[in-house]
Amino acid sequence: MQADIEQILLKPDAISSRVDELADEIMADFPPVEPNADSLMIVPVLTGSLIFVADLVRRMPHMVRIEVVTVTSYPGTATESRGAKIVGELPADLTDRHVLIVDDIFDTGRTIEHLKEQLSTLNPASIKTCVLLRKPDRVVVEDKPDYVGFDIPDEFVVGYGLDFDGHYRNLPFIGTLHPDAISSGRGDSE
Ligand code: IMP
Ligand code: MG
């Protein structure tokens, strides 16, 4: 698996320090209104945000709720999104809650845009978005994510939750794949 990696872009230590900072920024923006009141409803986008959100929420000392949504954007070995599709139910109780959508990467931005539109029909108090990675050269939507871990070049990356054809999510770092690994289709992507 490691042999399929061409270049490591972000090592575990760099990711960890940035996740610390992101959690601090978010908690400063969402202090508890009263002791034991929920400060946030976290909505992780599965499957890609799995590792990131697990690390992020464990750095949040306040009361939060977590309700996941599952979105598929790249069936199989594609590395170009074919449009985001929500699979299954939307979170049930978002009314008057402050919602934070958490995803692995803001590529074209269409997934987050679509999800924001859908969740805003559920009458939340506010919706903010947090992504670990963004590819500024690929963005096609106007709305920007509120919290961004790292801007990266326009290259397909795997690791720390991000996959190629369902594989490599368990790598502790973020790196690019060898072209051979992409063309042989090693590696379903959400
Ligand atoms: P968007 O709708 O184009 O912003 O695409 C977002 C989704 O595509 C992300 O949630 C990822 O699941 C997937 N994605 C985009 N770029 C990459 C990448 O470089 N590696 C792995 N998955 C990616
Ligand atoms: Mg995703």
Side-chain angles (χ1 to χ4, degrees), residues 74 103-105 107-111 135 156-157 162-163 190:
Y74 291 1
D103 206 355
D104 50 1
I105 186 165
D107 184 27
T108 62
R110 289 200 184 100
T111 302
K135 295 182 191 164
F156 194 79
V157 293
L162 291 118
D163 74 307
E190 286 105 55

Side-chain angles (χ1 to χ4, degrees), residues 109-187:
R110 289 200 184 100
T111 302
I112 298 258
E113 182 179 60
H114 178 61
L115 203 52
K116 241 178 136 172
E117 278 168 19
Q118 297 291 310
L119 297 188
S120 61
T121 63
L122 302 173
N123 303 315
S126 67
I127 304 186
K128 298 231 172 185
T129 58
C130 172
V131 292
L132 179 68
L133 307 174
R134 172 172 59 183
K135 295 182 191 164
D137 296 342
R138 298 262 308 162
V139 174
V140 299
V141 302
E142 287 197 1
D143 224 19
K144 294 184 166 59
D146 299 284
Y147 308 94
V148 177
F150 302 93
D151 280 328
I152 60 164
D154 179 10
E155 285 186 84
F156 194 79
V157 293
V158 295
Y160 198 71
L162 291 118
D163 74 307
F164 173 63
D165 200 18
H167 292 143
Y168 308 105
R169 296 193 198 276
N170 52 318
L171 289 170
F173 54 79
I174 290 171
T176 57
L177 271 182
H178 271 300
D180 289 358
I182 296 182
S183 57
S184 68
R186 258 197 320 271

Side-chain angles (χ1 to χ4, degrees), residues 16-153:
S16 177
S17 317
R18 187 66 188 125
V19 176
D20 280 344
E21 291 172 1
L22 283 174
D24 286 351
E25 271 179 60
I26 295 166
M27 287 292 96
D29 290 348
F30 293 94
V33 198
E34 51 189 89
N36 295 326
D38 292 330
S39 45
L40 265 182
M41 168 70 89
I42 313 258
V43 180
V45 184
L46 296 183
T47 307
S49 73
L50 186 73
I51 314 271
F52 173 40
V53 82
D55 281 347
L56 187 69
V57 295
R58 281 180 291 173
R59 289 156 158 96
M60 296 182 167
H62 307 161
M63 295 285 262
V64 299
R65 285 177 191 264
I66 305 175
E67 291 259 9
V68 303
V69 289
T70 300
V71 171
T72 3
S73 43
Y74 291 1
T77 55
T79 54
E80 285 286 327
S81 176
R82 297 183 189 149
K85 193 171 144 235
I86 296 171
V87 184
E89 309 268 304
L90 288 174
D93 189 14
L94 297 192
T95 312
D96 298 331
R97 293 186 185 280
H98 293 288
V99 171
L100 180 72
I101 299 174
V102 179
D103 206 355
D104 50 1
I105 186 165
F106 201 85
D107 184 27
T108 62
R110 289 200 184 100
T111 302
I112 298 258
E113 182 179 60
H114 178 61
L115 203 52
K116 241 178 136 172
E117 278 168 19
Q118 297 291 310
L119 297 188
S120 61
T121 63
L122 302 173
N123 303 315
S126 67
I127 304 186
K128 298 231 172 185
T129 58
C130 172
V131 292
L132 179 68
L133 307 174
R134 172 172 59 183
K135 295 182 191 164
D137 296 342
R138 298 262 308 162
V139 174
V140 299
V141 302
E142 287 197 1
D143 224 19
K144 294 184 166 59
D146 299 284
Y147 308 94
V148 177
F150 302 93
D151 280 328
I152 60 164

